[in-house]
Amino acid sequence: MDANELDELYQELIMDHGRRPRNTGSAAEANHHAHGHNPLCGDKLALSLRVEGDVVVDVKFLGEGCAISTASASMMTQAIKGKRVEDVLALYHRFHLLVTEGDETPETLATLGKLGAFAGVRRFPTRVKCASLAWHTLDAALRPDATRQVTTE
Ligand code: ZN
């Protein structure tokens, strides 16, 4: 498989999640919540999680926004469900490096798995905010002290 084929596969993955997002709704007995807003594009997101001990046992989102923000939220929920909070935050860090700094080292790509599909958004600075919104919102939801409303501006 060459780089172009991989690119196409990744684009299909993002389009599929943009059209048919997974894990939509509200998590049952959620104990972590946050709202995110990206005014530049108009993306809005409400995220709810059920964390037991240090494991994310359930996560769902309700969103209104572009295909990139929807796909990112959908793929994020799949990636973090069942993971320890510590590993989720490490994933957030890697995702951030990928879309803002183009960190495509083998270590980062191996950690991110399918989320590596978002590498291409780095070329479109306004889209970085769309792709990052779900992750910023997640970070806010998991902080014990911080505000529950995040904005990319
Ligand atoms: Zn957007």
Side-chain angles (χ1 to χ4, degrees):
M1 186 179 294
D2 66 24
N4 281 338
E5 281 176 293
L6 196 64
D7 252 17
E8 266 174 43
L9 200 72
Y10 275 170
Q11 277 168 25
E12 274 174 34
L13 190 66
I14 291 175
M15 278 164 63
D16 179 51
H17 278 264
R19 273 195 226 105
R20 295 186 305 118
R22 323 304 199 266
N23 298 315
T24 55
S26 302
E29 296 176 64
N31 50 10
H32 291 261
H33 304 88
H35 285 86
H37 183 209
N38 171 19
L40 201 66
C41 177
D43 309 314
K44 284 182 182 168
L45 186 76
L47 192 69
S48 57
L49 299 97
R50 170 91 191 148
V51 179
E52 283 175 18
D54 64 349
V55 176
V56 175
V57 294
D58 197 13
V59 51
K60 288 193 172 152
F61 78 100
L62 284 170
E64 252 178 65
C66 67
I68 298 277
S69 70
T70 303
S72 178
S74 173
M75 289 171 68
M76 179 189 81
T77 58
Q78 284 193 330
I80 68 171
K81 206 168 179 174
K83 283 206 165 67
R84 293 168 61 220
V85 169
E86 188 185 312
D87 296 330
V88 166
L89 293 175
L91 206 55
Y92 167 56
H93 177 66
R94 291 280 175 192
F95 187 84
H96 192 70
L97 287 177
L98 177 79
V99 297
T100 60
E101 295 182 22
D103 174 8
E104 295 187 53
T105 56
E107 197 194 347
T108 286
L109 292 179
T111 307
L112 289 173
K114 285 181 186 172
L115 296 169
F118 289 94
V121 304
R122 184 173 171 259
R123 298 195 298 269
F124 309 97
T126 58
R127 289 304 189 184
V128 170
K129 293 186 175 179
C130 301
S132 305
L133 178 65
W135 290 92
H136 286 306
T137 311
L138 172 69
D139 184 51
L142 290 174
R143 279 175 200 277
D145 49 349
T147 166
R148 299 284 175 254
Q149 296 276 352
V150 295
T151 170
T152 55
E153 293 303 301

